Amino acid sequence: AVSHNAGAEGWNSEWFKYFIYQKEIYVDYDNDAAGRVGAVKVAKNLGTNRTRIYNFNGYDEKYDIVDYFRDGGTI
């Protein structure tokens, strides 16, 4: 698991090297316009064939993974 707190535009292309051998990558950004754009950017950078984007469609704007677990969500 990897996390950063730099926001949706905070992906640093230098991080790509840490994912070279990963066959499956899951990306989960905030439920807002910036989060959706950021998730697509990361998926393209890491390879869309091995990256799945998860989101919180149907939840409140800006809902994120912390909210999900705080609300009782599980893996």
Side-chain angles (χ1 to χ4, degrees), residues 20-46:
I20 291 173
Y21 300 109
Q22 298 302 313
K23 293 180 182 180
E24 294 182 53
I25 301 168
Y26 302 92
V27 175
D28 186 359
Y29 274 52
D30 292 359
N31 185 40
D32 57 23
R36 288 184 282 279
V37 169
V40 169
K41 178 181 175 183
V42 169
K44 285 180 179 177
N45 193 286
L46 294 174

Side-chain angles (χ1 to χ4, degrees), residues 5 10 12 17 24 26-27 29 32 35 38-39 44 48 51-52 56-57 61 64 67 69 71 74:
N5 62 354
N12 183 333
K17 62 187 172 194
E24 294 182 53
Y26 302 92
V27 175
Y29 274 52
D32 57 23
K44 285 180 179 177
T48 56
T51 305
R52 288 187 180 187
F56 296 103
N57 287 336
E61 184 82 359
D64 65 12
D67 297 317
F69 286 117
D71 290 345
T74 63

